Amino acid sequence: MSQDNTTAVKTAENEYLLEMDGIVKKFPGVVALDHAQLKLRPGTVHALMGENGAGKSTLMKCLFGIYNKDEGTIKVNGEETAFTNPRHALDHGVAMVHQELNQVLRRNVMENVWLGRLPLKNGFVDTKKMIADTQAVFDELEIDVDPKTIVGDLSVSQRQMVEIAKAVSYNAKILVLDEPTSSLTENEVEHLFRIMKKLTAQGVGIIYISHKMDEILRISDEVTIMRDGQWIVTKPASELTTDTIIRYMVNRSFDNRFPPKTNEMGDVLMTIRNLTGKYEPTCHDVNFDLHAGEILGIAGLVGSRRTEMVNTIFGYYTKASGEISLNGKVMDNSCPAEAKKNGFALLTEERRATGIFPLMPISFNSTIANIDSYGKPLLNNKKIEEDTKWVIDAINVKTPSSRTHIKSLSGGNQQKVIIGRWLLTQPDVLLLDEPTRGIDVGAKYEIYQLIIDLAAKGKGVIMVSSEMPELIGICDRILVMSNGHQAGIVERGKDFGGIQGEQETILTLAAKYI
């Protein structure tokens, strides 16, 4: 009997493909998992939800052999197992697509798909077979990527599809998707959902980790919710609503998604005139004023050049023409170091790639942008510790100590540390690019409160976001970008026919130059 037929027989005898019971995982000073559990049925999508730091990723890493559990049992097809490493898990039909993609960027697509199991012929790599096998998987999943393309030349969404194809190529019966739509366009999300539907029809069980409530309620059969490392509840998705999910996640009602606005717009703080970047893709002829105490949202579709605009303001991208003035003085933000001296701060879009120093402690990550203030040639370690403590206390960073490596923190707490880093520089203008991406609703609320509090102190805040409710919820005005151009500014609170009308106005402007 083939391995696939054996698997099918065993699955028929067991109600669950996967059973995780009483899983405990401890790190120094932290109980990451406290008797957590999860059960996955064949042919279903099982959503795993919880705040950042709830233990979702840790539980999946225990399944996948990245971590060794301290207590509990894991059964696959009714047989108890404990995978010692990811390859062990893959060989037994368990695959995981991580939120942070781990690929060999300088090698081509097919080599990444078959890494560690390249087909051989007479002792040499059989390139012809590798191309054919890769194309066969791509055709099945309707993925339009050339197997010979270098992975580093692909978009993030294409790379993610390649990683999903790699998981499928192992004939996995259990597939874990960790925040799979965080970098996908609407059309790409629909494509992913079609792939998932095809896989579940073949009996594959999918564990789906996401913070996007609408996706969870749309595609899931069952939902497991975790909090503080513990299992809270498992229910059919049909019995849940956004409000009940949030209540389970944070143990409180979340009728108000956004804090009350306490900031007030004052005099003009910064002016942008005819701002154009030097190298394409970039922004063109952008003009706006930013007031003291204002939260200015930046909206736009994928490719609208929102990130390019804020990076040009900060000097990370070269400016071809235009003028940036702060408090009536023209600023030469020729590079990020100059922009920082001039009172600007930038929270980048890709937290892990360009925000944190993952192998360094919180103290380093908190103070690195303010390093010049701690003395030369010897650093004032006492002042560094004081400032780190201020960041942890003032922004409510959940961490065992200031010496903890930032990579060990949840995404929301990592984001808080980076915001605290820039607050120590005492900027006049804070540029935030997708500040709540990949962060749960509880941490989002805290970051919204931080942004509003900063504006209430007279700071100017520019906030790029792909979530329209977020922009409408906390911004005073919303500048809409389209294909590198400023399409218009929506004045919040004006008569657009309510929130629905504001959203329609923003979307109409976003499509203006497409």
Side-chain angles (χ1 to χ4, degrees):
M1 183 179 289
S2 70
Q3 184 177 357
D4 287 345
N5 287 337
T6 301
T7 300
V9 170
K10 288 181 178 178
T11 300
E13 295 172 351
N14 296 285
E15 182 181 0
Y16 298 105
L17 274 176
L18 171 69
E19 298 170 84
M20 303 182 75
D21 287 304
I23 307 298
V24 174
K25 181 61 184 175
K26 299 177 181 178
F27 298 103
V30 178
V31 179
L33 294 175
D34 184 4
H35 296 89
Q37 67 180 53
L38 184 141
K39 296 182 179 181
L40 173 68
R41 303 174 196 271
T44 65
V45 176
H46 193 121
L48 180 58
M49 303 193 71
E51 293 187 87
N52 287 98
K56 308 182 298 294
S57 294
T58 303
L59 184 63
M60 291 300 97
K61 287 176 180 178
C62 287
L63 166 64
F64 202 53
I66 297 172
Y67 293 154
N68 293 320
K69 58 182 172 57
D70 297 320
E71 297 178 30
T73 60
I74 299 175
K75 293 182 180 180
V76 175
N77 292 321
E79 294 185 1
E80 186 170 344
T81 186
F83 301 128
T84 55
N85 55 59
R87 180 57 190 261
H88 188 198
L90 285 165
D91 288 342
H92 285 77
V94 180
M96 182 173 180
V97 179
H98 300 268
Q99 182 180 6
E100 306 300 328
L101 301 176
N102 296 311
Q103 294 168 313
V104 186
L105 299 182
R106 296 188 178 182
R107 308 304 297 180
N108 62 35
V109 167
M110 60 186 178
E111 289 172 319
N112 272 269
V113 170
W114 304 103
L115 191 65
R117 51 194 178 127
L118 300 176
L120 300 177
K121 184 177 183 180
N122 300 324
F124 295 95
V125 174
D126 190 343
T127 302
K128 186 175 181 180
K129 176 175 172 51
M130 188 159 51
I131 293 174
D133 289 350
T134 306
Q135 192 61 57
V137 176
F138 285 3
D139 288 345
E140 180 186 358
L141 302 179
E142 301 176 20
I143 295 174
D144 185 18
V145 173
D146 186 343
K148 299 186 291 295
T149 303
I150 299 299
V151 167
D153 293 337
L154 300 178
S155 67
V156 173
S157 59
Q158 288 176 314
R159 287 173 54 200
Q160 196 159 38
M161 288 299 179
V162 168
E163 201 69 4
I164 291 170
K166 179 179 179 179
V168 171
S169 73
Y170 277 92
N171 294 318
K173 289 299 180 183
I174 298 170
L175 178 61
V176 182
L177 300 177
D178 190 355
E179 294 287 352
T181 64
S182 60
S183 302
L184 302 186
T185 65
E186 187 173 338
N187 287 337
E188 289 165 341
V189 169
E190 294 300 322
H191 183 194
L192 173 64
F193 290 169
R194 288 197 301 272
I195 291 174
M196 291 170 61
K197 187 173 182 180
K198 182 177 293 187
L199 292 174
T200 54
Q202 297 170 3
V204 176
I206 297 176
I207 300 172
Y208 190 89
I209 302 175
S210 178
H211 292 117
K212 298 182 178 180
M213 306 285 180
D214 54 339
E215 290 181 0
I216 292 296
L217 294 174
R218 174 184 169 189
I219 66 169
S220 301
D221 298 292
E222 292 183 287
V223 179
T224 287
I225 299 171
M226 296 180 66
R227 185 171 68 239
D228 298 329
Q230 298 179 323
W231 173 84
I232 300 301
V233 70
T234 297
K235 283 183 171 290
S238 58
E239 296 180 8
L240 294 169
T241 65
T242 297
D243 288 341
T244 55
I245 290 174
I246 293 173
R247 194 171 298 116
Y248 282 126
M249 285 172 60
V250 300
N251 198 27
R252 67 175 185 270
S253 174
F254 230 87
D255 296 331
N256 298 314
R257 288 180 58 190
F258 306 101
K261 284 180 63 63
T262 56
N263 60 302
E264 294 182 3
M265 290 172 55
D267 296 333
V268 172
L269 175 67
M270 179 185 74
T271 60
I272 300 290
R273 294 292 178 266
N274 306 116
L275 181 68
T276 299
K278 188 171 184 179
Y279 303 108
E280 292 290 348
T282 189
C283 57
H284 299 272
D285 296 317
V286 175
N287 294 272
F288 66 89
D289 294 334
L290 177 69
H291 297 255
E294 179 182 13
I295 304 171
L296 177 67
I298 309 294
L301 304 174
V302 173
S304 63
R305 312 291 184 256
R306 298 165 300 173
T307 293
E308 286 78 1
M309 185 188 74
V310 294
N311 281 338
T312 303
I313 293 173
F314 194 64
Y316 184 67
Y317 290 169
T318 304
K319 175 169 65 71
S321 59
E323 186 176 277
I324 303 170
S325 298
L326 182 64
N327 290 318
K329 181 182 177 182
V330 175
M331 295 295 173
D332 179 25
N333 290 354
S334 56
C335 65
E338 283 298 314
K340 188 180 74 169
K341 289 179 183 177
N342 291 335
F344 293 79
L346 171 64
L347 187 82
T348 58
E349 178 182 17
E350 297 294 336
R351 176 174 63 244
R352 291 184 182 271
T354 57
I356 66 171
F357 296 85
L359 299 180
M360 299 302 290
I362 292 170
S363 56
F364 180 91
N365 278 276
S366 297
T367 58
I368 184 62
N370 205 36
I371 198 69
D372 291 340
S373 68
Y374 300 120
K376 291 180 179 179
L378 297 177
L379 296 176
N380 185 338
N381 289 322
K382 182 179 179 182
K383 176 62 174 169
I384 289 174
E385 282 301 317
E386 288 175 353
D387 282 356
T388 303
K389 186 177 186 302
W390 178 86
V391 169
I392 292 172
D393 293 344
I395 309 181
N396 191 29
V397 178
K398 296 176 183 176
T399 175
S401 78
S402 62
R403 294 183 294 277
T404 301
H405 284 185
I406 194 169
K407 70 174 184 178
S408 301
L409 302 185
S410 67
N413 283 299
Q414 289 177 6
Q415 199 77 309
K416 289 180 189 178
V417 170
I418 304 172
I419 293 174
R421 171 199 299 171
W422 286 114
L423 296 186
L424 287 174
T425 68
Q426 299 183 341
D428 294 309
V429 176
L430 187 59
L431 307 166
L432 305 173
D433 195 353
E434 301 284 4
T436 66
R437 172 174 288 173
I439 292 175
D440 64 80
V441 288
K444 279 185 178 184
Y445 191 92
E446 291 182 299
I447 289 175
Y448 296 149
Q449 188 66 67
L450 278 172
I451 294 169
I452 291 171
D453 289 347
L454 285 170
K457 293 176 181 176
K459 305 292 185 182
V461 180
I462 295 178
M463 176 176 158
V464 176
S465 177
S466 299
E467 297 187 28
M468 201 177 301
E470 181 172 84
L471 292 173
I472 292 173
I474 72 167
C475 295
D476 301 292
R477 296 185 300 155
I478 299 170
L479 185 152
V480 185
M481 295 289 292
S482 177
N483 199 26
H485 298 271
Q486 176 180 334
I489 295 180
V490 175
E491 301 277 350
R492 290 282 293 106
K494 300 291 184 179
D495 186 15
F496 289 96
I499 292 176
Q500 182 64 30
E502 287 179 354
Q503 293 187 72
E504 291 173 0
T505 301
I506 291 169
L507 285 174
T508 300
L509 290 171
K512 186 174 181 180
Y513 295 106
I514 294 177

